[in-house]
Amino acid sequence: MNPNIQNDQDYLAEKFKLMENHTIHASKIAILKIQSWKFALKTPEVGTRYQQAAEEMVRESLLRFIPNEHVLSEEGFFFAALDN
């Protein structure tokens, strides 16, 4: 007799691995953006347009405000309120 228990260990491990890889990739991109911005600020030969573009890139990609409702919605909080 087989027990009626579903084992999702493999699925959860694979999902965790994919999310971890995504986080590592995103953090590498963030470091490169910050380094580019610092280089633009330290180098006087770089034009002001490039410095402003680098600041805007950092501000838009790393320092952007995301509302709590959006994060909760993306995590599925509103879809299964009874399961929370």
Side-chain angles (χ1 to χ4, degrees):
M1 178 183 233
N2 293 333
N4 194 10
I5 298 174
Q6 186 175 3
N7 188 356
D8 291 333
Q9 259 183 332
D10 291 336
Y11 167 75
L12 292 174
E14 187 66 28
K15 186 174 179 181
F16 174 78
K17 185 177 176 183
L18 288 172
M19 290 178 68
E20 186 70 17
N21 287 340
H22 176 73
T23 303
I24 290 169
H25 182 69
S27 65
K28 286 180 183 178
I29 290 173
I31 288 171
L32 291 174
K33 287 182 180 184
I34 291 171
Q35 288 174 344
S36 173
W37 177 60
K38 284 183 177 181
F39 174 77
L41 292 179
K42 289 181 182 177
T43 309
E45 294 86 24
V46 177
T48 56
R49 275 184 58 200
Y50 180 77
Q51 289 178 350
Q52 291 173 349
E55 282 186 33
E56 187 67 26
M57 174 184 61
V58 170
R59 199 175 297 118
E60 285 297 316
S61 61
L62 301 175
L63 305 176
R64 184 175 45 190
F65 176 74
I66 299 175
N68 295 336
E69 296 83 15
H70 178 74
V71 174
L72 292 173
S73 173
E74 290 297 314
E75 292 299 318
F77 183 79
F78 295 123
F79 300 122
L82 297 176
D83 294 336
N84 294 326

